[in-house]
Structure formats: C-alpha cells, structure tokens
Amino acid sequence: MAENVFGSESTPIQPGRRNQFNAGLQQGIGRWLIVDADYFWKYTHNAYDFSVFFNTPIAFPVSWHNSKLDGVTARVSTINIHGFQAYLTLGHTRARYYPPENGGLIPLGGFSGSVFRIDHDQAYQQNVVLRYQRPHNAEWIDFTWRYDSGLVVSGVPDVDAALTLTAAQQVAIGFSCDGMFATYGNPITACAGVGKSKLITLPQTGTENDDHNPDRVKPRNLFNVGFGTDNLFHSESTHRITLRFAIANLTNKVALYNFPVNVQRHTLRGAAHVSGISGIFVLRKGRRQKTIACPTAP
C-alpha cells in the first residue's frame, strides 16, 4: 500500500540517540543589571521530524540520519528601580538536518543528499519589555517590542516554486513579477523577470540553497502596549480587583510566522495575518478571573 498508493516505502523508526552540552553563566553588572546567558549544542542520530500526507493536515513521524542544533540564548534585566523594570531576551538558533531519511514513509528514490535547515532555524530574535508600576501594587504600564529575523520557509524555496502556488497562496505572500502582483482571478504562472514577495525573502531561481541560502520569512517588528492596575480600589484587604487593558500589534503590522506548503517534512500553517488593535479586559477577585475580551495574537 505504501508503494502503490503513496509512492513510498515504509521503514520502522529507530530510537534516536543524542549528545547534548549546555554551558551558561549569570553575572551582575554594577548595582542595576543582571545578565544570564546560555549556549546549547545538540547532535542527534536518527533525528525525529514529521511529514504529511500530500495536501492534507494528516501528519506522521519520520526520522533523518542525524541533526545538529546549536545556539545561544541570553537575558539582560534590571532590578526594580523605583517602580521601573526592563529586560531584553534574545536568541540565535541553527537547526541543520542531514539526509538520508531513514524512518517513516520514504519516497521511492529518496530525497536529494543536501543538508537542509528546518523551520526552527533563525538568525536572531529578541523581546524587549519596559514596565513601570506605581508603589503599593497600584497602576502600571508596559511596552513590548518583539523582533524576528525570519524562520526558514522550505515549502516555497524560490521563485519557480512560487509559480506553482494557487492564486490564494500567491496573494497571501504578496507574490509579484516585475511589479505586477498576483490576484485571486489572475495568478502568476510564468515569470521571465524578477519575482518578489512582500512577506518572504524568496530567492531567485537558481540562487536558493537549502543550507546556506534558504527562503525565509522577512524580518518583522511588533509592538504592544498595556496598562492597568493590580488593585483597582486600593483595597487593604486580601481581596483585590485588577484591571488590565492591552493594545496588541500597535502598528497594525501584517507579517508571516511561517508559510510551509504541504510538502514532505512540513504541515500547512498558511499565512498568519497579524493585524488589528484590540483590548483585553480582565476583572479578577481573589483567584477567580473573568476575561471580557481577547486581543489579536502578536
């Protein structure tokens, strides 16, 4: 059945074996700052992954010969300075997988033998949070800035691959050829010029490399603002009412988290439309909480 229906051969998945090393430090800088940093390195034999059945959301496990993941994470934070606090978290991750596929449904003939990066790979990401709160657990305000340099998009590796997308998919990524954008009624099926996307980097045909120059989501900046109080009526008792208001995606940024088309190794998430300004109001008394409205996720 695997060969005749799915064009694949079924191979049992063997347990993975991993060597992992972590190194970290924590250091205070003067009276005001604390720095935490960590480096991780993981090498896995029979590295686990997943794939999907054709153009469906049905996923199944697969394994590859090995994988190498390494990266750094760090956090820089301040102490409470008269109600003001700030922190920065950042990270860098390399996630490389090595063929051949050696477990699960393996397409007849296998895959190309090149190293590839999975969609956890990202050169740089950060979150900056600034917060001020008046004394005695009263009113507060915070500001959040999130930056992502872009995750790997292997489902649409280059311009040629974008030409095979449906009209809706081309519109979702803002695909164009020599400045002419795809529409729902007029998809782009051939491009002799320069193909571009508003939301992914989309290497030109022949320039993409699964390891050193994969397609990625374009960098994005997202900003959120929140304010509220932890003691609305300034009660001295143990029962307090809190109020919170948040504005998510303050600049109404449209961006992608990922755009993998349903091909081997990937499941379809589609284009995540990040837009809109909305609020969340939370009334809480003791341990009981009632949420009145929810914000658009950043």
Side-chain angles (χ1 to χ4, degrees):
M1 179 177 176
E3 181 175 343
N4 296 329
V5 177
F6 301 114
S8 304
E9 58 179 333
S10 178
T11 303
I13 296 177
Q14 300 300 318
R17 306 186 310 277
R18 170 177 289 179
N19 294 313
Q20 178 172 339
F21 303 93
N22 291 76
L25 63 87
Q26 183 181 77
Q27 177 65 48
I29 301 177
R31 298 173 52 192
W32 315 111
L33 295 178
I34 301 174
V35 177
D36 293 271
D38 178 77
Y39 171 78
F40 63 89
W41 185 91
K42 305 175 185 179
Y43 184 93
T44 306
H45 295 273
N46 296 325
Y48 171 83
D49 198 7
F50 65 92
S51 189
V52 295
F53 284 115
F54 304 114
N55 193 33
T56 74
I58 302 174
F60 59 91
V62 298
S63 65
W64 299 87
H65 183 271
N66 66 276
S67 68
K68 290 182 180 179
L69 287 79
D70 68 283
V72 295
T73 61
R75 176 186 172 107
V76 180
S77 55
T78 70
I79 64 171
N80 190 318
I81 307 172
H82 303 293
F84 174 79
Q85 288 182 290
Y87 68 84
L88 161 70
T89 59
L90 56 90
H92 160 76
T93 302
R94 290 186 296 185
R96 306 173 76 205
Y97 273 59
Y98 294 76
E101 184 182 351
N102 58 9
L105 287 179
I106 304 175
L108 298 177
F111 289 100
S112 62
S114 61
V115 181
F116 61 89
R117 309 222 177 188
I118 64 171
D119 57 7
H120 303 302
D121 186 287
Q122 186 163 224
Y124 182 71
Q125 62 192 57
Q126 73 168 34
N127 282 285
V128 176
V129 177
L130 308 175
R131 177 183 172 92
Y132 174 75
Q133 184 164 19
R134 294 183 61 197
H136 309 298
N137 297 318
E139 294 76 14
W140 55 265
I141 183 171
D142 63 25
F143 173 81
T144 304
W145 168 33
R146 173 176 173 173
Y147 172 79
D148 293 273
S149 65
L151 295 170
V152 169
V153 178
S154 56
V156 190
D158 56 21
V159 172
D160 263 3
L163 296 174
T164 66
L165 299 177
T166 66
Q169 290 170 329
Q170 289 184 352
V171 171
I173 63 173
F175 181 55
S176 67
C177 179
D178 284 343
M180 298 295 294
F181 286 89
T183 65
Y184 291 109
N186 187 28
I188 300 173
T189 57
C191 182
V194 178
K196 294 183 178 180
S197 167
K198 289 183 176 181
L199 301 179
I200 59 179
T201 57
L202 200 60
Q204 299 302 303
T205 302
T207 65
E208 188 270 347
N209 182 284
D210 289 343
D211 187 19
H212 301 295
N213 185 35
D215 191 12
R216 293 182 181 272
V217 174
K218 284 189 175 181
R220 67 176 184 268
N221 292 282
L222 297 177
F223 304 96
N224 302 326
V225 174
F227 51 90
T229 176
D230 291 339
N231 191 358
L232 182 61
F233 299 113
H234 300 275
S235 172
E236 297 296 333
S237 69
T238 57
H239 298 286
R240 298 181 179 183
I241 295 179
T242 66
L243 176 67
R244 177 189 176 197
F245 178 76
I247 304 175
N249 195 13
L250 185 62
T251 58
N252 203 28
K253 176 71 173 179
V254 177
L256 287 178
Y257 289 109
N258 205 340
F259 191 80
V261 177
N262 265 0
V263 295
Q264 189 76 7
R265 291 192 54 258
H266 289 285
T267 182
L268 179 63
R269 295 181 189 173
H273 188 137
V274 184
S275 66
I277 297 177
S278 56
I280 179 170
F281 297 84
V282 179
L283 293 178
R284 182 170 56 209
K285 184 175 182 180
R287 295 185 179 181
R288 304 182 65 180
Q289 177 172 305
K290 180 181 179 181
T291 302
I292 300 176
C294 294
T296 303

